Amino acid sequence: LDGLKAEKADVDAQYTELYNNTYLVDTTTVRPKSNLASSYSSYVTMHNNVVAEIEGMLQMTQISSTHKNMYSIKLENCINAYQVFKRYAAIAIDSIAQRKDDLLYNDAKTYTDAKIKVESDRITSTVSSVTQLGNQVSNMQSTVTILAGEISSKVDVNGVSSIIQQNAESVRIAF
């Protein structure tokens, strides 16, 4: 009986934590919060049935086979309800994590700028991008310069660069 009560306390705590999590929401296609609540309610009912059966049997001087059978059925129902609750709790945890990821991704801000500069002896194209995701900022820039006898390109991501310079006689690659 103490084991059942301890298990119930653990389920209550997990349910409360998950159900009250602001990231756990039902959508039109997925209902993790409603499923969690429904499975919890079923588990509580089945748990209470088992506890009541045990408490009733403790009051008896002799336990009949009918009571033993009723206890077995109620215990099996409780175990099944517990397993269903655990499955929906796992789905709720996944749903919370996915929603956090979705919101974080949607909060990302990206600023991109592209320029092409044409001069008498060269053409230079540059694409720059700054992405802010929470407290992290990512800077990226790619530049291609075309001269009559040479092509060079540079890619820089957060200060890490690679450069390729090519002319008719050689190709130079640098990191």
Side-chain angles (χ1 to χ4, degrees), residues 124-139:
T124 305
S125 64
T126 304
V127 178
S128 302
S129 179
V130 177
T131 301
Q132 180 179 358
L133 181 59
N135 293 335
Q136 296 180 329
V137 177
S138 176
N139 294 299

Side-chain angles (χ1 to χ4, degrees), residues 31-94:
R31 309 200 50 83
K33 191 167 192 165
S34 296
N35 291 338
L36 181 69
S38 176
S39 67
Y40 174 74
S41 177
S42 293
Y43 168 75
V44 169
T45 299
M46 297 303 150
H47 174 270
N48 290 341
N49 289 343
V50 170
V51 170
E53 189 68 29
I54 292 171
E55 288 173 345
M57 288 176 12
L58 289 173
Q59 303 300 318
M60 298 176 186
T61 55
Q62 188 174 358
I63 300 171
S64 69
S65 62
T66 303
H67 284 320
K68 288 179 185 177
N69 287 339
M70 287 303 295
Y71 167 74
S72 294
I73 291 168
K74 289 179 180 181
L75 182 61
E76 185 177 334
N77 289 341
C78 184
I79 291 168
N80 290 338
Y82 175 76
Q83 291 171 342
V84 169
F85 170 78
K86 288 308 246 181
R87 186 174 66 238
Y88 281 117
I91 291 169
I93 290 167
D94 290 345

